[in-house]
Amino acid sequence: MRKLFSKKFLSVLLTSSMVIGSASALTGCTSSKKNNGPIKLDVYSQLANFSGMQTGWSADILKEELGIEINIIPEGDGVFETRMESGNLGDIVVWGADNDKYPIAVQNEMLFCWEDDDILTDFGPYIKDNMPDALTKNKELTKTITNGASDKLYGFGANVALSSQDHESFFYTWDTRWDLYKQLNYPKIKNLKDYHKMLKEMQKLCPKDDSGNPVYAVSLWPDWDDAMVMYVKAMATAYYGYDELALGLYDPVTGKYHDALEEKGPYLEMLKWFNDLYQDDLIDPDSMTQTYDKMIEKVQNGGTLFSIFNYSGSLGYNTKEHTGAGKFMYCMKPEDASPIVYGMNTQGGDRIWSIGAKTEYPEKCMEFINYLCTPEGRMTMEYGPKGYTWDYDENKHAYFTEIGLKTQADKNTTMGGGYKGSFQDGTLQINNVTWSPDASNPDSDGETYNRESWSSYNAEAGSEIEQDWRDKTGCTTINEYMEKGKYTVSPGTGFSKDQQDDTLKTTWKQVTGAIKTESWNAMYAKSDKEFDKIVAKMKKDAKKYGYDECVKWSRTQADRRKAMEDAITQ
């Protein structure tokens, strides 16, 4: 029996004009909280890198505001299948994609319809009022999955925007050890060949990290490999602006599709670039076997010289200790690079928030997701407790407190203020967002959820070495710097890849398995001759397993995407 509140009682509570206030009032009225303490919700997240009960400051806030505790269940081999067999996916289910396992759950009625029992209206008012396009997209997706038999609403995709008129912040930021670049007297870097040469010179300047271990140009990890090796295909995205799509890379400017094994295509070009780095002792030899957590430890310890991503570059390296010592990792891209930046999208992406059909607490699940969608909830889960780590000034501009600035400079900063552990310990481990970081924040005056848009955050450089970056580039922010050079905008649409049938799924797994395995082997080749031999084997094996069939399906997806992009740009 689902534990739903009395609607009559609920209608009184919802007269409150503040959504967060309503959330707090609602949680205060559940008999479960009064009699049995907080309600525990199981969150099965295919995006999580963490298993167990959420801890730290976010756990405290969720318990206080909503009367809940969350237990996070990450994806792993057989996890989805086991949970499907049990008949219970979890209270909340967060999907890594909307075309793989999500359709199976929809077809087997494993998700709770958000329109049943007026759950969305009563417990998700902020979502209902502010995310209409994202909700419509999900209903249309249900129609597609069920061949028109149903248009039930099961959730919405991440990164929703209030407007489609602008692009998001740059994600492929080409973070480089700026202090070492300065020591090299700011050489002109035009292309990848120049970049390789620069990295080798940097390694000579800084051969050891903070603990005396060898420094490499870059440290990779295989955890996030999908159809291809993640970092290899992402390098093509960072350099050419081609977006990963199925088994290849898609040019959002022309619509041209480059399959992974295209002769002299972008994937193999970048694979060879990484092999050249390896042959020059610039690739961390642990890259093929280490986890993301091991990689980020090396970044934090100064063991790497660049990252095309901010999260495995500047966000990990630029601690107060490093910047105070004149060390700094920040944007410095080759002149020829045209990194992709994604257009804002009111329909959201493909990483869906949903509720499990067997939950006993659908109202609590909806209340939680709704809280994450409110401006205060979005800001709080990103930056910490309001009033303690951040707040708004009299002009409705967001700013960090002293402790907030410390947590932003170093995520391992101890929270204090009655909160246990570090800021990082309390970071919500579901690993998905609601609003795009670059969506407008209605509670502010013209700012977004992204701290980079805050006038207070950009007022002054955080260190002398950051000031040097500003002086040399003539820019104050990363976006300003990136927009001065080449970049590629990928229009935001409601595109989702088609679901694959069982036969193609089997073929796909064999083909992509061969590509990933041999790509790593090729990256580690000790000579150009060995590299060519491994690539030839990769092509032969992939062809044998059904590569052409996979590419045909991939090209169909590219054609669909191009048609949708053309429809909104004409």
Side-chain angles (χ1 to χ4, degrees):
M1 185 80 171
R2 293 193 177 97
K3 299 176 178 60
L4 293 174
F5 296 142
S6 159
K7 287 188 182 178
K8 182 177 180 181
F9 184 53
L10 178 67
S11 66
V12 176
L13 294 174
L14 289 179
T15 59
S16 169
S17 61
M18 296 299 292
V19 174
I20 298 301
S22 296
S24 299
L26 287 170
T27 50
C29 295
T30 58
S31 59
S32 296
K33 182 179 178 183
K34 283 185 177 180
N35 299 330
N36 303 314
I39 294 170
K40 188 181 87 167
L41 300 178
D42 286 333
V43 181
Y44 165 41
S45 174
Q46 296 184 331
L47 298 167
N49 297 308
F50 171 90
S51 178
M53 296 299 295
Q54 177 68 51
T55 61
W57 57 265
S58 66
D60 292 343
I61 290 170
L62 294 177
K63 186 183 296 185
E64 177 65 27
E65 292 286 334
L66 305 174
I68 63 172
E69 296 176 330
I70 59 173
N71 175 46
I72 298 170
I73 302 160
E75 182 72 315
D77 290 341
V79 171
F80 174 73
E81 290 75 16
T82 300
R83 301 191 73 79
M84 283 291 291
E85 288 176 10
S86 75
N88 188 353
L89 287 175
D91 296 299
I92 294 171
V93 189
V94 177
W95 303 89
D98 61 11
N99 73 316
D100 183 15
K101 295 169 182 176
Y102 175 79
I104 298 173
V106 170
Q107 291 162 350
N108 286 275
E109 299 183 343
M110 296 291 286
L111 300 177
F112 186 88
C113 176
W114 287 18
E115 293 171 319
D116 286 355
D117 301 316
D118 290 331
I119 283 290
L120 178 64
T121 299
D122 293 347
F123 295 92
Y126 199 88
I127 297 171
K128 184 176 181 180
D129 291 345
N130 294 279
M131 294 181 167
D133 291 350
L135 298 177
T136 298
K137 176 187 175 183
N138 187 265
K139 290 171 68 71
E140 291 297 321
L141 180 59
T142 303
K143 278 186 184 179
T144 300
I145 293 171
T146 63
N147 294 316
S150 170
D151 68 344
K152 288 186 176 181
L153 174 63
Y154 293 115
F156 67 90
N159 285 309
V160 181
L162 284 172
S163 169
S164 299
Q165 298 304 307
D166 203 355
H167 64 70
E168 296 181 349
S169 289
F170 286 86
F171 179 71
Y172 297 92
T173 51
W174 289 89
D175 289 359
T176 309
R177 277 288 298 275
W178 183 263
D179 56 301
L180 300 178
Y181 181 66
K182 178 183 178 182
Q183 288 185 49
L184 293 173
N185 198 28
Y186 314 104
K188 181 178 180 179
I189 307 299
K190 182 173 176 56
N191 51 38
L192 289 177
K193 183 178 179 181
D194 293 342
Y195 207 80
H196 179 154
K197 181 181 177 181
M198 176 197 72
L199 292 170
K200 191 62 181 177
E201 293 301 313
M202 285 184 174
Q203 188 187 50
K204 292 176 182 177
L205 290 175
C206 183
K208 301 293 183 180
D209 69 8
D210 299 345
S211 301
N213 299 311
V215 168
Y216 298 98
V218 66
S219 186
L220 314 181
W221 66 99
D223 304 28
W224 300 354
D225 292 351
D226 186 16
M228 301 164 279
V229 171
M230 185 278 292
Y231 218 108
V232 176
K233 63 87 182 171
M235 197 70 190
T237 304
Y239 193 73
Y240 289 116
Y242 300 160
D243 202 14
E244 175 190 14
L245 178 57
L247 195 53
L249 292 147
Y250 170 84
D251 183 348
V253 176
T254 65
K256 184 175 181 181
Y257 189 74
H258 301 272
D259 62 275
L261 303 183
E262 175 186 308
E263 191 69 28
K264 296 183 180 180
Y267 182 77
L268 291 183
E269 177 190 352
M270 295 306 166
L271 183 61
K272 184 66 183 86
W273 189 74
F274 279 111
N275 173 244
D276 290 342
L277 292 184
Y278 178 80
Q279 290 189 44
D280 209 6
D281 197 31
L282 288 168
I283 294 283
D284 178 3
D286 296 333
S287 294
M288 184 163 50
T289 56
Q290 70 184 351
T291 63
Y292 172 86
D293 290 340
K294 290 294 183 183
M295 175 280 302
I296 202 65
E297 285 179 13
K298 295 175 180 178
V299 173
Q300 293 167 343
N301 210 36
T304 59
L305 299 172
F306 99 101
S307 169
I308 55 174
F309 307 109
N310 55 8
Y311 60 82
S312 57
S314 59
L315 297 183
Y317 181 75
N318 291 342
T319 62
K320 185 176 180 180
E321 288 72 23
H322 283 147
T323 57
K327 300 176 180 179
F328 192 53
M329 186 174 275
Y330 224 47
C331 302
M332 206 297 296
K333 78 174 186 66
E335 291 179 13
D336 287 354
S338 183
I340 203 167
V341 62
Y342 296 97
M344 302 289 275
N345 187 359
T346 59
Q347 299 179 69
D350 63 352
R351 297 181 170 186
I352 294 178
W353 292 91
S354 66
I355 297 173
K358 293 298 179 67
T359 182
E360 294 184 21
Y361 303 100
E363 82 290 346
K364 275 294 172 189
C365 296
M366 181 61 69
E367 197 179 346
F368 171 53
I369 300 173
N370 187 74
Y371 171 72
L372 298 181
C373 294
T374 62
E376 185 168 323
R378 180 67 177 89
M379 288 281 285
T380 296
M381 290 299 118
E382 186 74 28
Y383 301 117
K386 183 183 180 185
Y388 183 66
T389 55
W390 68 276
D391 214 325
Y392 298 108
D393 63 21
E394 63 277 8
N395 297 316
K396 297 176 65 177
H397 290 161
Y399 68 91
F400 288 116
T401 62
E402 183 178 351
I403 183 64
L405 286 171
K406 290 179 179 178
T407 62
Q408 291 303 300
D410 183 356
K411 303 296 185 184
N412 293 314
T413 298
T414 300
M415 284 290 286
Y419 299 104
K420 294 180 180 178
S422 68
F423 180 86
Q424 184 60 45
D425 293 335
T427 300
L428 193 63
Q429 298 293 332
I430 295 173
N431 207 19
N432 200 25
V433 299
T434 53
W435 294 106
S436 165
D438 300 294
S440 297
N441 174 5
D443 282 1
S444 72
D445 185 9
E447 295 179 337
T448 73
Y449 296 113
N450 191 334
R451 66 182 186 181
E452 298 295 331
S453 74
W454 303 356
S455 57
S456 63
Y457 190 72
N458 295 314
E460 297 180 2
S463 61
E464 290 184 10
I465 189 64
E466 182 180 347
Q467 187 61 54
D468 183 79
W469 180 87
R470 291 187 178 196
D471 293 342
K472 190 65 181 178
T473 62
C475 301
T476 301
T477 67
I478 294 170
N479 277 346
E480 185 182 353
Y481 168 78
M482 298 297 276
E483 287 180 343
K484 285 179 67 174
K486 297 179 180 179
Y487 63 95
T488 302
V489 177
S490 175
T493 70
F495 170 76
S496 295
K497 295 190 293 291
D498 290 328
Q499 185 181 8
Q500 297 177 341
D501 60 34
D502 291 341
T503 301
L504 181 57
K505 282 183 179 179
T506 300
T507 300
W508 190 270
K509 185 174 182 179
Q510 291 177 311
V511 169
T512 58
I515 289 174
K516 286 180 286 188
T517 297
E518 298 305 335
S519 289
W520 279 109
N521 290 337
M523 191 188 301
Y524 278 66
K526 294 180 173 61
S527 67
D528 291 352
K529 183 177 180 181
E530 183 183 356
F531 177 88
D532 292 340
K533 182 177 179 180
I534 294 171
V535 169
K537 180 180 184 300
M538 175 166 56
K539 290 181 176 180
K540 182 179 179 181
D541 289 349
K543 184 88 169 176
K544 176 180 65 177
Y545 290 132
Y547 179 75
D548 291 343
E549 182 182 352
C550 294
V551 171
K552 181 180 179 181
W553 182 85
S554 299
R555 290 190 183 281
T556 298
Q557 308 313 303
D559 291 342
R560 288 183 52 243
R561 174 170 171 175
K562 181 65 165 66
M564 294 182 75
E565 290 175 350
D566 286 346
I568 67 168
T569 56
Q570 288 177 351

